[in-house]
Amino acid sequence: MAVAKKLKYFDLVREIESGRIHPLYFFSQDESLLKDKAFRLLKQKIIDPRYEAFNYFVFHGEETNASQIIQELQNPPVVSEKKLIIVRNFDKLHFQYQQKVVNFVEKPIPDLVFVLETGKVDMRKAVFKKLTKIAASYYFYHAYNEIAASNFLRQEVRKHHKNISPSAVRLMIRYIGLNLQEINNELEKLLLYVSNKNQIALDDVQNCVGAFKGNTVFELQDAIVHKNVKYAIQILENLLSHGQSGVFILIMLTRFFKTMWKISILKYQQNKHIREIEKTLWVYNKKNLINQATRFQLDDFPLIFNLLLEADKKLKSINLKPKIIMELMVYKICKNIKG
């Protein structure tokens, strides 16, 4: 039996733009920026601004109850075909209220579009399991790789009737990382910078985004690879002072060293040719990664991963400044690379 595809934000956008609107939606997972965009898109498609006060309602699970929600569900739209009701943080609603609401909307309600939104929840629980069966369900994931982040960036650029070159996309993701909120914020600045230009080029990203972002996690990775302790710590301090979180830097470094480890195994244990190794990598800067991996020995990685894990535990449990924890980790990694 084939596993059903998990529908995501871009699937929802395609459906709405084609005119397909469901009476009941279930939005889950933690990517809040995409959820906000989805809510705005639904509102634009459904609600006449003149009658918004009568036909658009947002409840919050932590400060409402089933009776208030159901009462509004029963009220028909005013001078409009449909009304839109959203319950944000539905998972924060008392579980008995959750059951009442889901049971009430089990059969579609005419003239109504109802959205239930949660963070990451246990889909095995009866109420959420039932929701996935009766509602159009969409999963709002963070961008966990460069492909997903790049797709998001291109989609957002197209909404402004502009194009962006592949090299500009790659550099922007390299500067910013995978956080969609940060990508969105920097894109807003970039759009102001390019003004009436229809094509966003590599130089635009270098001149606008690069000037604001300072150092990048990718520069930190490269400094560590070359065992340049002084420069690596300087970059780290710059990243932290510009608001980059220690946890995010740690995630990016862990992902990077996992890639280094994978390449090293393919190269040294399995004797794979460079072209074969390139086929296993989804990132755009494949040759550079393979070159960086030559600076490691296979027995470097157990120690590196132990240092990363140790830093992760300290960031979450010890009352020390993240700067101290991260600097010590970077110092130890640089000093213990044998390659």
Side-chain angles (χ1 to χ4, degrees):
M1 181 177 175
V3 178
K5 176 189 174 185
K6 282 191 173 182
L7 296 173
K8 302 176 186 177
Y9 168 72
F10 293 113
D11 299 306
L12 174 68
V13 171
R14 282 190 290 271
E15 285 191 356
I16 294 174
E17 289 179 345
S18 70
R20 187 181 181 193
I21 305 290
H22 298 280
L24 179 62
Y25 287 94
F26 177 31
F27 294 171
S28 66
Q29 299 296 319
D30 294 328
E31 181 43 66
S32 59
L33 174 69
L34 296 184
K35 286 179 187 172
D36 289 341
K37 288 181 177 293
F39 293 141
R40 285 197 293 271
L41 186 57
L42 280 170
K43 184 180 176 184
Q44 288 168 4
K45 290 289 183 181
I46 297 168
I47 301 300
D48 185 328
R50 295 173 297 177
Y51 309 112
E52 179 179 328
F54 304 103
N55 298 316
Y56 176 64
F57 298 90
V58 179
F59 295 94
H60 294 268
E62 61 269 36
E63 55 188 41
T64 191
N65 58 55
S67 297
Q68 291 173 302
I69 297 170
I70 290 172
Q71 182 179 347
E72 195 54 57
L73 290 171
Q74 291 173 317
N75 294 332
V78 176
V79 201
S80 296
E81 290 185 8
K82 291 183 181 296
K83 68 188 292 186
L84 173 62
I85 299 176
I86 297 170
V87 181
R88 302 205 66 160
N89 303 324
F90 180 67
D91 47 320
K92 302 289 177 62
L93 193 67
H94 191 280
F95 76 94
Q96 290 181 336
Y97 294 156
Q98 292 174 3
Q99 291 173 331
K100 286 183 181 179
V101 170
V102 171
N103 288 339
F104 187 82
V105 295
E106 188 168 359
K107 292 184 179 179
I109 300 174
D111 310 325
L112 175 69
V113 176
F114 187 38
V115 186
L116 296 171
E117 180 268 330
T118 72
K120 186 176 182 179
V121 294
D122 185 352
M123 293 297 184
R124 295 171 296 181
K125 288 186 177 179
V127 67
F128 301 125
K129 191 174 182 180
K130 183 174 183 178
L131 258 180
T132 59
K133 292 179 179 178
I134 65 173
S137 302
Y138 299 84
Y139 298 79
F140 289 75
Y141 292 111
H142 295 302
Y144 288 117
N145 59 44
E146 293 180 31
I147 295 173
S150 298
N151 287 340
F152 168 77
L153 177 56
R154 281 190 287 267
Q155 290 267 5
E156 292 303 302
V157 168
R158 280 197 289 271
K159 288 180 184 177
H160 294 273
H161 309 291
K162 296 183 186 294
N163 295 311
I164 183 168
S165 70
S167 60
V169 170
R170 290 194 295 266
L171 184 62
M172 197 158 174
I173 300 303
R174 187 175 179 87
Y175 274 141
I176 300 166
L178 305 180
N179 186 294
L180 296 186
Q181 184 64 64
E182 287 195 20
I183 292 172
N184 190 69
N185 293 343
E186 295 301 324
L187 177 59
E188 290 179 3
K189 298 177 192 174
L190 182 60
L191 290 168
L192 289 173
Y193 177 80
V194 299
S195 187
N196 295 324
K197 287 174 61 177
N198 292 324
Q199 179 71 31
I200 300 173
L202 183 66
D203 288 348
D204 297 319
V205 175
Q206 288 174 326
N207 294 333
C208 179
V209 180
F212 288 103
K213 293 303 290 181
N215 291 120
T216 69
V217 175
F218 300 97
E219 290 174 289
L220 175 60
Q221 293 169 357
D222 199 56
I224 293 173
V225 166
H226 289 87
K227 297 187 279 190
N228 190 335
V229 180
K230 184 177 178 181
Y231 186 45
I233 290 178
Q234 178 185 324
I235 294 170
L236 177 63
E237 289 177 350
N238 193 15
L239 288 169
L240 293 170
S241 68
H242 279 79
Q244 198 66 268
S245 74
V247 172
F248 173 77
I249 295 170
L250 203 59
I251 289 170
M252 295 297 288
L253 288 177
T254 301
R255 184 180 291 121
F256 171 71
F257 284 116
K258 282 182 177 178
T259 303
M260 294 293 99
W261 184 38
K262 174 183 177 180
I263 293 170
S264 297
I265 289 174
L266 292 171
K267 183 177 176 64
Y268 299 117
Q269 281 191 350
Q270 300 181 17
N271 296 315
K272 297 288 186 183
H273 190 273
I274 288 177
R275 289 181 183 173
E276 292 180 282
I277 296 174
E278 285 182 355
K279 290 177 183 177
T280 69
L281 303 174
W282 48 260
V283 291
Y284 71 91
N285 52 340
K286 299 177 181 181
K287 288 185 174 150
N288 184 49
L289 286 172
I290 293 171
N291 287 334
Q292 288 176 322
T294 62
R295 294 181 170 270
F296 295 91
Q297 294 181 15
L298 271 172
D299 57 0
D300 286 332
F301 294 104
L303 175 62
I304 290 172
F305 290 128
N306 280 332
L307 290 171
L308 291 166
L309 180 60
E310 181 185 357
D312 181 59
K313 289 179 179 177
K314 287 180 178 178
L315 283 173
K316 294 173 181 174
S317 60
I318 296 178
N319 191 23
L320 278 178
K321 290 184 178 179
K323 179 175 176 288
I324 296 172
I325 296 169
M326 298 295 289
E327 284 182 353
L328 185 59
M329 178 199 70
V330 167
Y331 175 83
K332 288 182 177 178
I333 291 176
C334 288
K335 288 296 183 182
N336 285 282
I337 293 173
K338 300 172 188 172

